[in-house]
């Protein structure tokens, strides 16, 4: 279908973009990569009367290593993140996630800011950024704000952003030495949304043990979920097969999936348990310096 | 999908029943209603906003009250369309007096959604949206019926 008629603006500065969003309020929507919004508009499931395109604005994209964190401009395309050797070496879990977002065309245009603002329950970046403790910077007519992932994404398709608020930057704290992470997504076919996904970031002091750990589950709830009870079972412990099995079962129980065409509640919970064990194994190996690939071809 | 629940109102059973089968009163309890057209005492059409966040649009529901068994039960049948989707729903209300002289209303509904909303994203999401809307509707009814009691000075 064709979208309903709308007016289109392509401002050159962030300030003018915010002015436009302030002016038109709930009737306006930000356009970044358009990979979630445009399909929705074509289905007429979203029909904003005004679109404010951010593409012409300079300085909103790019990956930069800063003091203690890696910064991503909100308009950085998934493809750029996928190709970044900095991200692949320091944030392998994030590399895993962007590599499996949609398909090549989607990754060429889709942006990290847009992905977070759209807040799809099955999105790949939210669980990873949740596990990594990322912070999101925004700008609106009221000024600047910084939010954690769980402060930003509050419900399905619901980011806590006012109608004139724009995500400007995502900051990921640089993991300490001896850390590793992995994100595994189970999809029914290439380019699909996850049926279930698990992202695990850990630090390992010696083989067979677990230091700090963060586990995030994707596509099994209205938002990404931190599996805190599963984390508590493993944090600062020696990990054997029995403990890992228990933690996987706990993570499964912390998922809150709904039944749909991609799978039943039981099936999705089962997937969480399986992906948990596999992601943990890969995260451990990476934490000990091994290079492991999760994406096939 | 099947949804059900129960709630209690402070009015007596007869008054509560009259409220539930009055299209004018019922539509005032519905959330985000933009337009109401009442054809007769059993047939009415409602246009309402539906959705979560930026995924929203309007739906037009044609509703019909059938099988009235005053003051115990009633059935409402609805057909809606909008947002490239169709909704079919059937809801049954059952009323009974409680010991405290209040009325307990038990309802159960079957809702089937077809079209884009059903296949878009996570299908089970629709159940959550439907539940949220139903909760608002039920709260609206509770407030509406309790208000009659105040008016009547009961």
């Amino acid at each position: 279908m064709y979208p309903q008629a709308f007016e289109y603006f392509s401002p050159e500065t962030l300030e003018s973009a915010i002015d436009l969003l302030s002016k038109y309020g709930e009737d306006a929507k930000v356009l970044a990569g358009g990979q979630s919004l445009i399909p929705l508009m074509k289905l007429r499931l979203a029909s904003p009367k005004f679109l404010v395109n951010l593409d012409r604005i300079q300085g909103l994209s790019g990956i930069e290593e800063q003091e203690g964190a890696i910064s991503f401009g909100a308009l950085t395309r998934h493809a750029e993140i996928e190709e970044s050797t900095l991200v692949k070496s320091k944030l392998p879990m994030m590399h895993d996630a962007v590599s499996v977002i949609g398909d090549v065309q989607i990754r060429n245009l889709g942006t990290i800011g847009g992905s977070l603002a759209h807040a799809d329950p099955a999105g790949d970046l939210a669980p990873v950024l949740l596990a990594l403790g990322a912070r999101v910077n925004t700008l609106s007519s009221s000024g600047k704000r910084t939010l954690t992932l769980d402060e930003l994404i509050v419900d399905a398709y619901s980011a806590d952003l006012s109608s004139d608020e724009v995500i400007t930057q995502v900051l990921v704290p640089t993991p300490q030495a001896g850390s590793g992470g992995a994100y595994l997504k189970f999809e029914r076919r290439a380019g699909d949304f996850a049926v279930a996904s698990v992202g695990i970031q850990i630090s390992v002091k010696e083989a067979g043990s677990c230091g700090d750990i963060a586990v995030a589950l994707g596509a099994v709830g209205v938002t990404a979920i931190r599996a805190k009870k599963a984390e508590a079972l493993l944090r600062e412990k020696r990990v054997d097969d029995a403990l890992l099995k228990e933690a996987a079962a706990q993570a499964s129980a912390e998922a809150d999936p709904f039944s749909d065409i991609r799978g039943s509640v039981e099936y999705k919970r089962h997937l969480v348990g399986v992906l948990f064990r596999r992601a943990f194994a890969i995260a451990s190996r990476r934490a000990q310096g091994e290079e492991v690939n999760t994406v096939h071809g | 999908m099947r949804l059900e629940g129960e709630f209690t109102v402070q009015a007596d059973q007869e008054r509560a029943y009259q409220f539930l089968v009055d299209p004018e009163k019922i539509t005032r309890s519905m959330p985000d209603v933009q337009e109401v057209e009442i054809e007769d005492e059993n047939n009415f059409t409602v246009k309402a906003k539906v959705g979560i966040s930026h995924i929203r649009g309007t739906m037009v529901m044609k509703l019909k009250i059938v099988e009235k068994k005053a003051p115990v039960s009633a059935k409402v049948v609805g057909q809606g369309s909008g947002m490239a989707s169709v909704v079919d729903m059937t809801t049954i209300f059952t009323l009974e007096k409680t010991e405290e002289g209040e009325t307990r209303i038990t309802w159960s509904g079957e809702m089937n959604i077809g079209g884009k909303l059903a296949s878009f994203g996570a299908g089970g999401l629709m159940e959550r949206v439907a539940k949220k809307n139903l909760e608002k509707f039920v709260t609206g009814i509770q407030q509406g019926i309790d208000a009659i009691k105040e008016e009547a000075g009961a």
Side-chain angles (χ1 to χ4, degrees):
Chain A
M1 279 201 283
Y2 290 115
Q4 275 179 2
F6 58 91
E7 230 184 290
Y8 176 82
F9 302 99
S10 210
E12 315 248 329
T13 66
L14 194 49
E15 288 67 35
S16 13
I18 291 172
D19 282 341
L20 285 163
L21 292 167
S22 272
K23 181 175 176 189
Y24 295 113
E26 294 297 324
D27 288 333
K29 191 83 182 72
V30 169
L31 177 66
Q35 299 304 292
S36 296
L37 182 60
I38 303 292
L40 277 177
M41 288 176 68
K42 284 180 149 190
L43 290 172
R44 300 202 173 195
L45 290 179
S47 299
K49 298 200 178 78
F50 305 94
L51 275 193
V52 180
N53 176 35
L54 300 182
D55 238 7
R56 290 230 186 106
I57 301 171
Q58 300 289 320
L60 278 182
S61 96
I63 306 171
E64 204 181 69
E65 194 166 11
Q66 296 178 349
E67 180 91 40
I70 297 173
S71 155
F72 298 84
L75 242 47
T76 311
R77 314 285 166 174
H78 302 316
E80 188 181 340
I81 301 176
E82 191 183 357
E83 281 156 20
S84 159
T85 46
L86 173 66
V87 173
K88 193 164 185 197
S89 65
K90 301 225 166 142
L91 301 171
M93 179 185 188
M94 206 168 159
H95 173 85
D96 292 342
V98 290
S99 313
V100 294
I101 293 177
D103 54 37
V104 175
Q105 290 93 331
I106 289 173
R107 294 194 288 275
N108 281 342
L109 284 177
T111 65
I112 180 170
S115 174
L116 292 177
H118 177 64
D120 193 305
D124 296 300
L125 277 173
V128 162
L129 292 171
L130 186 60
L132 289 169
R135 293 184 310 280
V136 175
N137 287 336
T138 71
L139 185 62
S140 71
S141 58
S142 314
K144 291 185 183 168
R145 276 209 301 163
T146 300
L147 301 124
T148 58
L149 250 294
D150 57 346
E151 282 166 352
L152 176 71
I153 297 177
V154 296
D155 201 348
Y157 306 103
S158 308
D160 182 24
L161 297 165
S162 61
S163 55
D164 70 346
E165 194 170 7
V166 175
I167 295 176
T168 54
Q169 186 189 32
V170 178
L171 281 163
V172 181
T174 315
Q176 53 185 270
S179 292
Y183 175 77
L184 291 178
K185 163 185 183 174
F186 187 82
E187 53 189 351
R188 294 179 312 157
R189 58 197 165 176
D192 202 354
F193 279 105
V195 184
S197 66
V198 174
I200 299 185
Q201 178 74 13
I202 58 170
S203 64
V204 173
K205 285 169 205 139
E206 43 172 287
S209 78
C210 175
D212 200 3
I213 175 171
V215 178
L217 314 177
V220 287
V222 287
T223 66
I225 297 171
R226 272 289 291 271
K228 295 197 172 146
K229 293 187 188 149
E231 290 172 9
L233 284 173
L234 295 169
R235 189 172 283 116
E236 311 293 346
K237 300 267 187 351
R238 280 214 66 79
V239 180
D240 60 18
D241 214 51
L243 187 59
L244 203 53
K245 213 170 167 184
E246 199 189 331
Q250 182 59 56
S252 223
E254 287 182 87
D256 184 22
F258 17 78
S259 189
D260 63 12
I261 47 170
R262 293 196 178 87
S264 66
V265 169
E266 298 72 30
Y267 179 63
K268 293 182 183 187
R269 278 196 201 278
H270 175 76
L271 278 176
V272 166
V274 173
L275 294 172
F276 179 96
R277 300 193 63 161
R278 293 186 194 172
F280 187 87
I282 297 173
S284 297
R285 287 161 66 192
R286 284 176 172 168
Q288 290 167 87
E290 196 183 329
E291 235 187 71
V292 185
N293 276 323
T294 58
V295 186
H296 306 289
Chain B
M1 68 182 118
R2 198 170 180 78
L3 298 158
E4 52 197 17
E6 65 168 53
F7 60 99
T8 310
V9 290
Q10 290 174 345
D12 61 67
Q13 193 173 340
E14 286 67 28
R15 262 201 254 273
Y17 188 85
Q18 285 315 309
F19 186 99
L20 285 172
V21 297
D22 183 340
E24 211 224 332
K25 301 229 164 59
I26 286 288
T27 53
R28 267 196 250 148
S29 314
M30 290 178 177
D32 304 317
V33 168
Q34 293 177 319
E35 266 172 48
V36 176
E37 214 183 275
I38 299 177
E39 283 121 43
D40 59 47
E41 59 183 18
N42 294 323
N43 295 286
F44 53 109
T45 306
V46 176
K47 183 172 168 190
K49 281 198 290 199
V50 286
I52 324 164
S53 183
H54 49 282
I55 303 168
R56 50 186 141 91
T58 50
M59 282 206 111
V60 177
M61 283 292 277
K62 278 191 159 59
L63 294 148
K64 195 172 180 149
I65 309 176
V66 300
E67 290 180 26
K68 288 200 272 200
K69 293 177 191 150
V72 176
S73 72
K75 187 166 162 181
V76 181
V77 179
Q79 274 178 317
S81 63
M83 298 185 80
S85 307
V86 286
V87 179
D88 269 309
M89 52 170 247
T90 308
T91 314
I92 300 176
F93 292 98
T94 315
L95 290 79
E96 62 180 327
K97 281 199 224 297
T98 68
E99 281 152 15
E100 297 85 5
E102 302 183 318
T103 307
R104 174 161 38 241
I105 304 175
T106 314
W107 58 271
S108 78
E110 260 303 318
M111 190 186 281
N112 289 309
I113 306 181
K116 288 284 172 270
L117 280 177
S119 55
F120 168 74
L125 213 46
M126 287 304 112
E127 196 174 309
R128 282 183 212 224
V129 175
K131 271 195 183 133
K132 265 196 190 150
N133 277 346
L134 263 155
E135 274 160 29
K136 279 194 207 163
F137 182 31
V138 164
T139 308
I141 293 180
Q142 263 178 307
Q143 289 171 341
I145 297 182
D146 285 340
I148 321 168
K149 187 188 175 221
E150 278 163 32
E151 272 171 46

